[in-house]
Amino acid sequence: MSEQTTNETTKPAVVMGPVLFNWSVEEWVDFHARIADEAEVDRVHVGEVVCSKREPFWADRLPEVIERLQRGGKTVVVDTLALVTLKRERQIVADLAGLDGVELEINDFSPLVHLAPGRRFAVSPLVNVYDEGTLGVLAKRGAWSVCLPPELPITQVEALAAEGRRIGVETQVFAFGRLPLAISGRCYHARVHGLAKDSCQFVCNKDPDGLAVDTLDGERFLAINGVQTMSQAAIAVLDECERLVAAGVSAFRLSPHHCDMGAVARIFRDRLAGRIDAAEARSRLGTVGLAVPLTGPMMTGTWPVPTPRAAARG
């Protein structure tokens, strides 16, 4: 690993999460090349999380992307699928679990079948780690990093971060981007276009940052990304940085969107280093070209703004 992940960490890590949207292969490769060369991030996640139908398009480019990122001094973490139901999907997960030389992040528990006891792995925010007991069980199984679900109250984030620091597990927060709320067996994007999931024509590529969804009354509600439900607005965890770091949160995850993600990483790096305050950071975020609406400060009594995720996941 290129940076520490225990309570000896001297500064929070800035982590680039996996691309959750259906970008073209060349755009996906170019994005990671720019992140390798330009972005001030410690780790970069790669791999398909949302839909296994997208995976074959870029699978043969994955070794190239991993090598480029590592050459750029980045630690690479490969993500698994979030909803594994088909034999083909189980094989994809098994193949990823067999990769050497890179870390693996699980998006559900199915990869654990293929990981030898003691094999290190990271845990994504799609896995329900709501209490210290779950965190401890995952740590004993081999988890070294856990990105906490974004709907947790900040008091529970603080409790889990303290426990993570005690047992030597890095705790992350989802710090930038549309929140990943739920994964479904049905493809909302296909249905919007009058298509079936099996013949979707990959229409989710028409909305490279997700498709906003309004209620029947025209109110902003959610966004869709293929089979994934997301928040309508993007979050930016800026006002809470000092409190979270003091609690023991040691990594902040940025989710890639169509904007200058290198600039986003610099803003978070400066904010976490105390070189700028939250107001300045938010002002600078207004210049990165983010097309998705950005929420205001997240400290509104809960952490973050309440979302329908828990109900949607059932």
Side-chain angles (χ1 to χ4, degrees):
M1 298 295 296
S2 64
E3 79 280 349
Q4 294 171 298
T5 56
T6 69
N7 57 358
E8 298 177 359
T9 302
T10 58
K11 61 180 181 180
V14 178
V15 179
M16 189 67 67
V19 174
L20 298 177
F21 306 103
N22 187 10
W23 294 358
S24 71
V25 176
E26 291 307 320
E27 186 174 16
W28 184 82
V29 172
D30 180 66
F31 168 77
H32 289 102
R34 286 185 284 111
I35 293 301
D37 296 340
E38 304 169 10
E40 298 179 37
V41 297
D42 302 287
R43 295 198 296 274
V44 182
H45 288 244
V46 297
E48 182 57 49
V49 172
V50 176
C51 179
S52 65
K53 292 181 66 177
R54 304 173 183 174
E55 187 266 350
F57 289 104
W58 52 258
D60 62 342
R61 307 291 297 273
L62 183 60
E64 166 195 343
V65 166
I66 291 174
E67 189 277 332
R68 180 69 178 274
L69 288 166
Q70 290 175 332
R71 185 155 36 94
K74 310 299 192 288
T75 298
V76 178
V77 182
V78 179
D79 271 73
T80 64
L81 289 165
L83 183 62
V84 179
T85 59
L86 304 175
K87 182 178 180 180
R88 170 177 56 83
E89 294 168 343
R90 292 195 295 272
Q91 187 60 54
I92 290 172
V93 171
D95 292 343
L96 291 176
L99 288 177
D100 294 324
V102 294
E103 300 284 355
L104 193 73
E105 179 171 81
I106 66 170
N107 283 275
D108 72 356
F109 289 116
S110 61
L112 297 184
V113 175
H114 305 286
L115 296 178
R119 165 78 186 272
R120 286 162 48 94
F121 61 90
V123 180
S124 92
L126 293 179
V127 177
N128 290 338
V129 182
Y130 289 158
D131 54 59
E132 295 90 332
T134 304
L135 186 65
V137 169
L138 288 168
K140 290 178 181 178
R141 184 62 174 80
W144 63 271
S145 176
V146 175
C147 188
L148 299 175
E151 72 271 19
L152 285 178
I154 194 168
T155 52
Q156 189 61 16
V157 172
E158 291 174 317
L160 286 166
E163 179 65 8
R165 183 161 50 185
R166 187 185 73 81
I167 64 177
V169 173
E170 174 192 85
T171 49
Q172 286 187 46
V173 293
F174 191 99
F176 175 82
R178 274 184 157 155
L179 297 175
L181 303 180
I183 298 287
S184 172
R186 299 175 179 176
C187 181
Y188 308 112
H189 243 111
R191 186 169 184 177
V192 165
H193 291 274
L195 300 168
K197 180 181 178 182
D198 291 341
S199 56
C200 66
Q201 301 177 28
F202 301 97
V203 290
C204 51
N205 65 7
K206 298 179 182 294
D207 302 291
D209 284 325
L211 175 63
V213 177
D214 296 339
T215 67
L216 293 176
D217 295 326
E219 297 178 352
R220 290 182 175 180
F221 183 46
L222 297 170
I224 57 174
N225 169 38
V227 297
Q228 183 178 48
T229 304
M230 311 183 83
S231 62
Q232 166 109 194
I235 69 162
V237 176
L238 298 169
D239 298 80
E240 308 83 1
C241 290
E242 290 86 357
R243 180 176 175 180
L244 292 169
V245 172
V249 171
S250 47
F252 288 70
R253 177 176 297 212
L254 315 178
S255 186
H257 286 66
H258 265 69
C259 64
D260 187 346
M261 290 301 300
V264 173
R266 287 191 295 274
I267 291 166
F268 272 87
R269 184 71 76 186
D270 287 345
R271 177 72 184 102
L272 291 168
R275 291 188 286 267
I276 58 176
D277 61 16
E280 172 64 17
R282 193 168 297 277
S283 175
R284 285 170 56 180
L285 275 181
T287 69
V288 302
L290 179 66
V292 176
L294 192 66
T295 65
M298 302 303 296
M299 286 297 293
T300 56
T302 59
W303 164 261
V305 171
T307 74
R309 172 178 167 180
R313 294 172 108 199

